[in-house]
Amino acid sequence: MESAAARPRPVLTAGSVLPEDAGRAALVARVHHPEYDGPCVAAVRGEQVVDLTALAPTVSDLLERDDAAAVVREADGAHTWRLDELLEAPAGRRDVAHLLAPVDLQVIKAAGVTFARSLLERVIEERTGGDPAQAARVRARVQQVVGGALDGIRPGSPEADKAKELLVGEGLWSQYLEVGIGPDPEVFTKAPVMSAVGTGADIGVLGASVWNNPEPEVVLVVDSHGRVRGATLGNDVNLRDIEGRSALLLSRAKDNNASCAIGPFIRLLDDGFDLDTVRELDIDLRVDGTDGYVLHGSSSMREISRDILDLVTATHGPHHQYPDGFALFTGTLFAPTEDRQAPGAGFTHEYGDVVRISSPRLGALVNTVVPSEQATPWTFGVRALMRNLARRGVL
């Protein structure tokens, strides 16, 4: 990657980030309030953002309420902001109000290898040892052998067992195939509590990585009882070279400063936006480079190999509880293979790339790629939040 340089911020407006049917949606945001030097839980009502912190000091508290959607739609607030003003503000500046990631105390989890197309790319990463120069050759071999063998296979089914036998016989079995079509999904902790960045912020790619890509995903927001209360968008940044060297490097590949973006808002489930709606969502991706490079991609939740509630059950249950709830990345169909820097090298980010992940019912999450080492340091954690809320008298 080229070194990071001064660059214009992407221009965000209410119209560019809100869902197309925002007037019917119950939308939850978090806002940094400079007067309190801390976050506020907020409702987004058109172009107005209303502070609800007096009713629910954290988003986790709000989502425990059975009447959360009614509160978001109707409750009075102590303060209001214009959404455009929040979007115009530089993210990370503590002296101006701006949007934050819309989750707070929720554990940030992620399900991996949940789409067949991206599953094969994980196998390719492993077979190349994280070397992008080998990707085209290995991809051709894997596709020749596997072909459509995984199309429509239900993980853990007898058909999946037969596919495993075929791939083992061809010497192509992989730990990624095990979690892709085996009985148990991959669910891992993506990032620490409170570390996600929101729309408009920089997103970090580790400086040592030379082969990486965005991962546009639907993120489920789940309460302490395991109930899905809403959905939002996320970027589960993927460092293909590092994870390709060894799956045991997953933490180094996934959990770095500013490497997890969530937003712009949580859309709560209601009569007009339910789990079946989530199962039908389409997610679009656009990457704009500073050199005029443009990448388009898309992902459809209709092609996911495991139902979203199966992923929730694999995360939460008698085997594991989350008293503050959790946010669950559900995986991506998107794995870019087109060359960018050199023939056969595939796609990788350049610093300054503007990544826009959008869906008509969820709005748009927009971030600019920088080295993780140069992203705004993460300094406001759980202790800071508790002290801040106690000082404000809302706990």
Side-chain angles (χ1 to χ4, degrees), residues 121-130 211 238 240 243-244:
E121 286 299 313
R122 299 293 84 78
V123 175
I124 290 162
E125 288 167 17
E126 181 183 43
R127 291 280 160 171
T128 63
W211 189 21
N238 182 30
R240 304 189 68 177
E243 186 178 351

Side-chain angles (χ1 to χ4, degrees), residues 100-103 108 196-199 203 219 221 232-235 260-266 327-329 365 367:
L100 303 168
V103 297
I108 303 174
V197 298
T199 201
I203 192 165
V219 180
V221 187
T232 184
L233 296 168
N235 188 348
C260 176
I262 299 176
F265 319 112
I266 298 170
L328 178 62
F329 282 74
L365 172 65
N367 304 99

Side-chain angles (χ1 to χ4, degrees), residues 15-290:
S16 69
V17 303
L18 283 168
E20 64 180 14
D21 59 342
R24 298 193 296 273
L27 300 174
V28 179
R30 284 174 69 241
V31 176
H32 172 78
H33 195 331
E35 179 180 339
Y36 303 132
D37 194 25
C40 294
V41 178
V44 181
R45 300 171 186 165
E47 297 191 7
Q48 289 293 113
V49 181
V50 181
D51 178 9
L52 300 178
T53 311
L55 297 174
T58 68
V59 175
S60 175
D61 286 307
L62 176 64
L63 298 191
E64 293 296 313
R65 298 180 59 143
D66 290 335
D67 64 346
V71 169
V72 168
R73 286 192 169 95
E74 302 166 8
D76 294 331
H79 190 88
T80 62
W81 301 268
R82 286 181 54 246
L83 180 55
D84 278 334
E85 291 177 351
L86 298 177
L87 293 168
E88 291 167 3
R93 284 267 304 273
R94 296 177 71 161
D95 61 335
V96 291
H98 60 270
L99 289 176
L100 303 168
V103 297
D104 44 38
L105 296 180
Q106 293 89 349
V107 177
I108 303 174
K109 307 291 287 188
V113 201
T114 55
F115 290 81
R117 191 188 309 170
S118 59
L119 161 60
L120 295 182
E121 286 299 313
R122 299 293 84 78
V123 175
I124 290 162
E125 288 167 17
E126 181 183 43
R127 291 280 160 171
T128 63
D131 180 4
Q134 302 298 318
R137 176 185 58 81
V138 174
R139 185 175 294 111
R141 164 66 175 155
V142 170
Q143 291 177 343
Q144 177 187 16
V145 173
V146 178
L150 302 182
D151 293 349
I153 284 184
R154 183 170 56 84
S157 67
E159 293 78 13
D161 290 339
K162 291 179 182 178
K164 178 176 181 177
E165 292 177 9
L166 167 67
L167 294 165
V168 168
E170 292 288 343
L172 284 176
W173 188 244
S174 160
Q175 56 200 334
Y176 293 102
L177 288 161
E178 177 62 44
V179 297
I181 66 174
D184 299 311
E186 176 191 26
V187 180
F188 59 93
T189 299
K190 161 64 182 177
V193 171
M194 298 282 295
S195 68
V197 298
T199 201
D202 291 336
I203 192 165
V205 170
L206 199 65
S209 175
V210 297
W211 189 21
N212 48 70
N213 62 257
E215 290 198 343
E217 305 189 22
V218 170
V219 180
L220 305 176
V221 187
V222 186
D223 69 11
S224 65
H225 305 286
R227 301 179 299 176
V228 179
R229 302 306 307 275
T232 184
L233 296 168
N235 188 348
D236 178 18
V237 177
N238 182 30
L239 308 186
R240 304 189 68 177
D241 48 354
I242 292 176
E243 186 178 351
R245 283 162 46 204
S246 170
L248 297 181
L249 292 172
L250 183 65
S251 179
R252 180 165 174 78
K254 290 291 188 181
D255 183 9
N256 298 291
N257 190 35
S259 66
C260 176
I262 299 176
F265 319 112
I266 298 170
R267 181 164 187 169
L268 299 183
L269 299 187
D270 57 22
D271 290 343
F273 184 79
D274 58 14
L275 285 176
D276 284 337
T277 309
V278 176
R279 292 182 175 103
E280 295 291 319
L281 290 175
D282 292 320
I283 303 95
D284 293 319
L285 171 78
R286 179 181 172 115
V287 177
D288 287 276
T290 59

